[in-house]
Amino acid sequence: MCSMALLGMSVQAKVRLPHLIGDNMVIQQQTDVRLWGWDEPGKSVTVTTSWNNDVVTVKTGKDGKWLAKVRSPKASYDPLTITFDDGEQTTIKDVLAGEVWVCAGQSNMEMPVKGFWGCPVNNYNQVVIDARQHAGVHSVKIPSIMRMEPQEDAQCEWRVCSPSTVSEFSATGYFFARTMHEALDIPIGLIEANKGGSRVESWLTKENLQKYTKEPTDSMGIVNFKPEQDYHRAMLWGNGTFNPILNYTVKGILFYQGCSNVGDPGNQYSDRLKLLVEQWRGQFGLGEIPFYLVEIAPYHYDDVNAVNGALLREQQFRASQIIPNSSLVCTNDLVYPYETTQIHPAQKQQVGERLAFTALNRDYGFEQVLYKSSSYKDMMVKDGKVFIHLQDNYHADAPFEMIEGFEVAGDDRQFYPATARHFWQPGGGYWDEAIMISSPQVPHPVAVRYCFRNFQLGNVKNAANLPLFPFRTDQWE
């Protein structure tokens, strides 16, 4: 009986690590990496790494928690080990130093390479075959769970990319990581913390919800507010799915979300997304880490010609302007005409690649990699025609007389399909390099829109083959 009691005490005394810290993990290179866990209160825990002679010793608090910081090495494929010792050793192995990014958002970020419901990404078989070239890409999926209180751990384990595992990786995240891996030739780690159908409010803390929204934060209020769709509930997904990763040292956040906030009034979405970014940056405590978001793709939202989806895209563009160190990836060209009712378009490779182009240019010194889509700059009206100027260079992805996606309206606010073509006037002047837009049904135009409907495809792209952001020149309801 006595020996059994001592054995029980020994098991309880051994240092306990969160599941996120384990074999095959990728740690952020050349920085102070945080490692944490639990043990008996007042116990000393020693952390020893295989790449240097430093030994870090920390003492647990009254709550049994401990946190240590170790300096990580330069990225490489050399397998590393980390040993935790409180009198009994625990060692994790096959650790790699590289770049670590969070994959956050809703179902289009959660969507795996194999897709949902038997609808895989484009070129699925080739992606699986090619996966053996990218064993340096590792991923960990945080289970999507709801909790009333913030969770400190989650049942998860790191996966090494291979033909047998890649189908389960976030498709957007994987294509981002694959491109980064090819460009940098170093390990890339993905932490997938997302939930299909979640709203931006799903990830806000109780304190932020109470201070800045009217969302309920008590259990009955939350359930009654969104009784049919639990994935729409505020706070719970952040507590259960995102909070467990906040001690991890990461490079930045990739965010693909917005569909469940379609219909939000005014600037509510962009303001709350800005609040969320501020919250996450504060919680990670790593400074103004990059935040790169993906525009929601064209989708019918019950009416292809309505504009509620377009208004959310407009909010995403605004968010990218008001959130420091952020950027938006345009996806207007990444749906097929027949995907009107497909909320999960198959062209995820380009989405991930465009996120990677953004990170490579902004964070890794690849200044010659182009990542900016063109956007609306200004307009003028002359002789019944509208002349539109764009930022970030452009040309049409079709003969100039075949530019598609523009509409024009007069004072009656009725929009009609417009003829649009490239306009260039030698000798400079205001009209130099513009898009000239007109319609016989609108002799006196006052406003122009481009792909500003739920599902409307255009063909204007810039020299980087990136699509023009949908826009409107009016602010009509």
Side-chain angles (χ1 to χ4, degrees):
M1 181 69 72
C2 181
S3 61
M4 288 296 292
L6 289 174
L7 177 61
M9 290 176 63
S10 174
V11 172
Q12 292 175 1
K14 186 176 181 179
V15 64
R16 181 167 71 87
L17 301 173
H19 289 78
L20 194 54
I21 298 178
D23 296 348
N24 298 310
M25 69 188 289
V26 178
I27 57 174
Q28 183 63 33
Q29 65 165 326
Q30 296 180 297
T31 190
D32 292 327
V33 171
R34 293 178 299 216
L35 304 168
W36 72 99
W38 302 267
D39 209 319
E40 289 183 340
K43 193 106 180 218
S44 291
V45 177
T46 299
V47 182
T48 307
T49 63
S50 64
W51 58 87
N52 59 31
N53 296 319
D54 293 342
V55 176
V56 178
T57 300
V58 293
K59 183 169 288 190
T60 61
K62 294 180 180 179
D63 55 3
K65 298 177 184 178
W66 59 268
L67 185 147
K69 292 183 180 180
V70 299
R71 190 69 185 176
S72 57
K74 184 178 180 180
S76 79
Y77 299 108
D78 295 334
L80 311 171
T81 62
I82 306 174
T83 298
F84 306 87
D85 191 344
D86 67 345
E88 185 175 356
Q89 290 188 350
T90 298
T91 299
I92 60 174
K93 60 185 186 300
D94 295 324
V95 176
L96 298 180
E99 294 294 299
V100 182
W101 287 79
V102 177
C103 299
Q106 60 180 102
S107 59
N108 270 297
M109 181 61 85
E110 186 177 29
M111 176 182 170
V113 170
K114 68 180 181 182
F116 293 127
W117 312 303
C119 296
V121 299
N122 278 5
N123 304 313
Y124 170 76
N125 285 344
Q126 190 57 47
V127 173
V128 172
I129 294 169
D130 176 71
R132 68 185 184 88
Q133 306 291 334
H134 299 285
V137 175
H138 294 195
S139 172
V140 59
K141 178 69 171 79
I142 309 302
S144 301
I145 58 174
M146 294 183 291
R147 291 293 185 270
M148 280 299 298
E149 298 297 329
Q151 302 298 293
E152 297 180 324
D153 194 11
Q155 292 285 337
C156 59
E157 62 180 6
W158 285 85
R159 307 169 291 196
V160 178
C161 179
S162 72
S164 63
T165 63
V166 71
S167 65
E168 300 293 341
F169 282 43
S170 159
T172 295
Y174 174 66
F175 290 121
F176 165 85
R178 188 177 77 172
T179 305
M180 298 285 286
H181 187 230
E182 291 171 348
L184 301 173
D185 193 17
I186 61 175
I188 306 295
L190 300 176
I191 300 177
E192 303 177 25
N194 41 59
K195 170 59 184 175
S198 57
R199 299 182 299 144
V200 68
E201 294 83 2
S202 301
W203 308 100
L204 289 172
T205 60
K206 180 177 183 178
E207 294 73 21
N208 276 333
L209 288 168
Q210 290 178 338
K211 186 174 182 179
Y212 297 104
T213 80
K214 296 182 179 179
E215 297 270 340
T217 56
D218 63 289
S219 58
M220 289 307 299
I222 291 173
V223 171
N224 291 333
F225 187 68
K226 294 290 182 182
E228 297 89 8
Q229 297 131 337
D230 61 1
Y231 48 81
H232 279 173
R233 292 171 183 169
M235 185 181 75
L236 304 183
W237 299 106
N239 282 346
T241 307
F242 208 88
N243 206 77
I245 77 170
L246 291 174
N247 275 338
Y248 210 89
T249 305
V250 303
K251 177 67 174 182
I253 301 171
L254 311 174
F255 190 71
Y256 195 166
Q257 186 275 337
C259 298
S260 292
N261 285 95
V262 166
D264 286 3
N267 289 331
Q268 177 174 295
Y269 179 79
S270 55
D271 287 342
R272 291 184 179 180
L273 183 54
K274 182 175 185 290
L275 175 65
L276 178 60
V277 175
E278 292 170 349
Q279 171 189 301
W280 279 347
R281 285 174 173 167
Q283 290 173 315
F284 274 114
L286 300 170
E288 204 170 81
I289 57 176
F291 180 81
Y292 301 142
L293 61 154
V294 180
E295 179 186 69
I296 59 170
Y299 179 69
H300 73 137
Y301 294 108
D302 297 326
D303 183 352
V304 294
N305 290 315
V307 299
N308 48 334
L311 291 171
L312 195 283
R313 294 184 200 105
E314 185 177 65
Q315 283 294 295
Q316 291 180 309
F317 187 84
R318 178 177 183 265
S320 72
Q321 305 301 300
I322 65 175
I323 298 172
N325 199 18
S326 71
S327 187
L328 176 65
V329 166
C330 183
T331 62
N332 184 256
D333 63 328
L334 298 183
V335 294
Y336 296 113
Y338 59 80
E339 289 185 308
T340 307
T341 60
Q342 174 55 276
I343 195 68
H344 306 117
Q347 298 180 67
K348 288 292 185 287
Q349 178 173 333
Q350 297 94 320
V351 178
E353 289 174 345
R354 290 175 188 179
L355 285 167
F357 297 156
T358 304
L360 288 169
N361 179 287
R362 293 170 63 102
D363 304 302
Y364 297 95
F366 284 69
E367 296 179 359
Q368 300 307 310
V369 171
L370 305 177
Y371 73 95
K372 291 183 179 181
S373 279
S374 298
S375 59
Y376 169 74
K377 182 179 180 181
D378 58 29
M379 64 171 274
M380 70 167 290
V381 179
K382 183 175 178 63
D383 299 330
K385 298 179 176 61
V386 180
F387 296 84
I388 292 291
H389 297 87
L390 305 177
Q391 302 184 99
D392 298 315
N393 192 24
Y394 77 95
H395 70 270
D397 191 34
F400 293 137
E401 66 273 12
M402 295 174 60
I403 294 177
E404 300 173 353
F406 281 97
E407 296 180 285
V408 64
D411 287 327
D412 62 357
R413 302 188 177 187
Q414 297 299 308
F415 281 90
Y416 297 91
T419 298
R421 65 181 179 86
H422 178 76
F423 182 88
W424 180 72
Q425 180 171 317
Y430 189 80
W431 302 327
D432 191 25
E433 297 210 49
I435 296 179
M436 184 172 68
I437 302 158
S438 63
S439 170
Q441 295 168 293
V442 187
H444 304 290
V446 298
V448 168
R449 292 181 175 183
Y450 176 73
C451 294
F452 205 80
R453 295 186 184 273
N454 287 348
F455 194 99
Q456 185 177 13
L457 307 181
N459 64 350
V460 180
K461 294 188 177 184
N462 64 15
N465 201 35
L466 298 174
L468 171 62
F469 280 111
F471 70 87
R472 58 173 174 163
T473 64
D474 63 276
Q475 291 298 314
W476 299 334
E477 295 296 329

